[in-house]
Amino acid sequence: MPPLSAEVLSEAARRPHAPPRLLRAADAVLDGRFTWDEVAGGRCEHPFAQSLFTPKAEETLWPYLREVADELAEPPDRQAEREPAAEDDDEDFSLRTYRR
């Protein structure tokens, strides 16, 4: 199993399509039951934290965590290339015609 950081866990849990077992652990972190540092360091006995290290999690969750870790490891200029361009919020819609 590759090294896992608290930063990767935290970022992965904030993403829109985070797996349910990671979201349950994130809720426990928010409730103060344990920290991401404890999970990453293997020092947490809480069942939600332990669920991140099961064989099933290695199949389903770990590829997602590796993807997040790879993205975080990219140089900032590469991250900017992957991010979608922001839409112009100042666009004037008053002259547009919409059809049904």
Side-chain angles (χ1 to χ4, degrees):
M1 206 174 307
L4 184 62
S5 73
E7 179 186 17
V8 169
L9 288 166
S10 177
E11 175 62 28
R14 281 193 295 265
R15 296 198 175 184
H17 301 292
R21 77 174 57 223
L22 184 60
L23 293 176
R24 284 190 297 273
D27 286 342
V29 168
L30 291 174
D31 289 343
R33 296 180 186 169
F34 53 85
T35 67
W36 287 128
D37 286 322
E38 292 170 330
V39 174
R43 299 182 313 272
C44 186
E45 297 296 323
H46 193 282
F48 289 160
Q50 292 297 308
S51 75
L52 303 178
F53 297 95
T54 65
K56 182 72 173 174
E58 287 184 39
E59 292 175 20
T60 59
L61 175 63
W62 282 84
Y64 172 73
L65 293 175
R66 281 187 203 101
E67 180 182 310
V68 172
D70 290 346
E71 289 175 14
L72 291 176
E74 287 180 357
D77 57 328
R78 295 276 304 173
Q79 289 176 4
E81 290 174 12
R82 292 182 335 95
E83 294 176 7
E87 293 183 22
D88 186 6
D89 291 337
D90 296 331
E91 187 172 349
D92 182 8
F93 291 99
S94 64
L95 301 176
R96 289 198 177 184
T97 304
Y98 298 94
R99 297 181 190 196
R100 287 185 175 224

